Each structure stands twice: as structure tokens, then as C-alpha cells.
């Protein structure tokens, strides 16, 4: 076996974005522009705690922003992609595309 | 926003297989049939410790098997996909393909 000078596509995956739950959150937000906490939780079949902690990771990384509001006297948390989050999601998409193409060549 | 009855593709990702390093290992093994520890480590740009612990997770899950041999009096660890590991990699590929198609529809 010889080593290629081109890095393997798996080395291009960003762990912050690639992680299963966070990738789900970013994908939903990419589709919906913004989504509330309950919608994300139900769509991705998550617990409140898991969604909260993964949102925190994404917010700390600058990929999403959250906004807590009161609507009809009830608290609601809106979540949206930042510009950086959108770019990160596109980069992940291209890394995944390359990986899928590579996996398509397997016997 | 209305909830779809069809699960979001991100919910179909298997955390054992999807994790960045493990997905890299499985992809290389899918391509190479079998690979030795050093080749995996260098191709995926990993430390010995990280590769060891991720291989352990994959072996415990039944996705890879490892074989320690002596070649020219030097120890060498060969790693190969099991039949189950190959099936898991195919399932991940289809989940990723669906996700990429979905991400392609984003503006």
C-alpha cells in the first residue's frame, strides 16, 4: 500500500458540524431558516437535554444564534443559522458528497 | 411549521458508524479490504491512542476484526471489515446520500 499525497476525505470532516445530532440541527435550520426549540426537538427525536447541550456547542462555535422571546405570554426559543453556520454546513455537504462518491466506488 | 410523518434523514444516522474518525476507518477498510494499523493511522492523520480507542469501539460493535501477527519478527496489526461492518457502511452511505440530496435543495 502506498500513501497518497491527497488527504483522505474523512480528514476534511469538521467534528463540530459532523456530529450526528448537530448535523441534524444544522440541516433543519438550513431548510427552515429558523426553527423553534420544540420543532427541532420533535423533528430530530431528541430529548430537551440533548438538544440544549448540542445547541450550546453550536452557539459557542458561532454556527447558530438563539433568541428567547415571549409569544402570547409563553416563552419560545428561536434558533437560526448564522452566516458562518451556513458556510460550515455547505463545507460539510461537500465533504460528505466526496465521501459518498468514494463509497460508491466500493465493491 | 408542520411536522412531517417521515423521519428526518439525520435521525437515520448510526452514531457508531457516523462518528468522524470511525467513518474514516470504515471507508479506508471498505476501499482496501484490509489495512494495517500504521497505514490507517497515517492515512487518517490520527494518533496511535485515538486510532486504538476508535478501533476498539468498532470491534466491540462487530464492525471490524483485528489480527495481530509477526512479520519479519515485527508485530503488525491487520484490520478488516466484517460482513456486518460492510453492511453498516453501506447503510451510512445511503443515509449520507439522502442528507446531501436534501442539503442540495437549500438556497
Amino acid at each position: 500500500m502506498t500513501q497518497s499525497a491527497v488527504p483522505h476525505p474523512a480528514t476534511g470532516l469538521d467534528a463540530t458540524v459532523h456530529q450526528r445530532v448537530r448535523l441534524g440541527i444544522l440541516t433543519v435550520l438550513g431548510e427552515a431558516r429558523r426553527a423553534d426549540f420544540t420543532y427541532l426537538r420533535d423533528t430530530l427525536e431528541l430529548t430537551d437535554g440533548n438538544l440544549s447541550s448540542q445547541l450550546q456547542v453550536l452557539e459557542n462555535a458561532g454556527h447558530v444564534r438563539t433568541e428567547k422571546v415571549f409569544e402570547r405570554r409563553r416563552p419560545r426559543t428561536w434558533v437560526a443559522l448564522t452566516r458562518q453556520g451556513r458556510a460550515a454546513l455547505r463545507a460539510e455537504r461537500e465533504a460528505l458528497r466526496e465521501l459518498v462518491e468514494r463509497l460508491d466506488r466500493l465493491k
Side-chain angles (χ1 to χ4, degrees), chain A residues 82-95:
Chain A
T82 60
R83 181 183 296 256
Q84 179 197 302
R86 193 167 293 276
L89 185 57
R90 279 202 208 94
E92 169 78 4
R93 180 185 65 191
E94 295 317 308

Side-chain angles (χ1 to χ4, degrees), chain A residues 1-102:
Chain A
M1 284 178 293
T2 55
Q3 208 71 29
S4 166
V6 179
H8 193 276
T11 64
L13 297 170
D14 174 340
T16 305
V17 174
H18 181 75
Q19 194 272 349
R20 193 177 65 89
V21 171
R22 294 194 289 268
L23 182 55
I25 295 169
L26 295 171
T27 303
V28 172
L29 293 176
E31 292 168 336
R33 293 289 161 152
R34 72 172 189 171
D36 73 2
F37 188 93
T38 309
Y39 179 82
L40 283 170
R41 183 196 62 199
D42 295 345
T43 301
L44 297 168
E45 300 169 16
L46 301 171
T47 61
D48 283 2
N50 193 357
L51 177 54
S52 283
S53 65
Q54 301 301 348
L55 280 177
Q56 196 60 62
V57 173
L58 290 171
E59 193 162 22
N60 290 346
H63 293 330
V64 305
R65 62 174 163 265
T66 61
E67 189 191 5
K68 288 184 210 306
V69 295
F70 275 83
E71 291 183 4
R72 294 181 202 134
R73 295 182 189 172
R74 297 181 60 180
R76 195 168 191 184
T77 300
W78 285 104
V79 190
L81 283 185
T82 60
R83 181 183 296 256
Q84 179 197 302
R86 193 167 293 276
L89 185 57
R90 279 202 208 94
E92 169 78 4
R93 180 185 65 191
E94 295 317 308
L96 292 182
R97 192 195 312 283
E98 198 181 335
L99 205 60
V100 169
E101 282 169 6
R102 198 142 168 168

